[in-house]
Amino acid sequence: MIDTVPAIGASRRSVAAVLHDIVGNIDRMIRSEIRLAKAEAHDDLAAVGGAATLVVAGAALGWLSVAFLLVGAFLLLQTREPPWLAALIVGMGTAVVAGVTLFAGLKNLARTRASQRRLPKSRMESVG
């Protein structure tokens, strides 16, 4: 019978101690990955932050210009029509444009969702 003797300087560790070390290492790896992901996200946001600020400022100024255009249209119509009728005409025109835009957006969204639902099926058919 051969005696299994540990090599000189090698220590015998229990399975529980080895598993404890493995779990500790996995925990440290996960925490390191989370810190890395946070750092990468922070870097990405810092890079995009300036551009996003300009986009938001441009959108806000765009909405403000639309408001002034509507006020201008109201004031122009008010010179020919009573103020209530001018406001009604501008409001109805804006409502029509909003409705058409909303309808087109919802139709496009439905088309996009439908194509996304069909995509996995077509992949499955091409594989199978």
Side-chain angles (χ1 to χ4, degrees):
M1 209 180 202
I2 300 177
D3 228 1
T4 57
V5 178
I8 298 175
S11 63
R12 298 186 98 188
R13 297 175 54 197
S14 69
V15 173
V18 171
L19 289 176
H20 184 269
D21 287 347
I22 290 172
V23 170
N25 289 338
I26 291 172
D27 182 52
R28 281 190 294 280
M29 287 172 42
I30 290 172
R31 289 178 191 267
S32 296
E33 288 294 325
I34 290 172
R35 279 194 308 269
L36 178 63
K38 283 182 182 179
E40 288 176 351
H42 184 269
D43 290 345
D44 290 345
L45 286 176
V48 175
T53 302
L54 290 175
V55 168
V56 168
L61 289 173
W63 279 109
L64 188 61
S65 69
V66 168
F68 276 110
L69 287 171
L70 292 173
V71 168
F74 166 75
L75 292 174
L76 177 67
L77 283 172
Q78 188 180 4
T79 62
R80 300 256 186 211
E81 304 293 337
W84 66 268
L85 186 57
L88 186 65
I89 291 170
V90 171
M92 291 300 288
T94 306
V96 168
V97 170
V100 169
T101 305
L102 182 63
F103 179 73
L106 290 174
K107 187 175 176 182
N108 196 4
L109 182 63
R111 189 179 318 125
T112 302
R113 284 187 175 177
S115 67
Q116 286 177 348
R117 279 189 224 126
R118 276 186 265 133
L119 185 62
K121 288 180 182 177
S122 63
R123 284 185 182 171
M124 294 290 277
E125 290 169 0
S126 65
V127 171

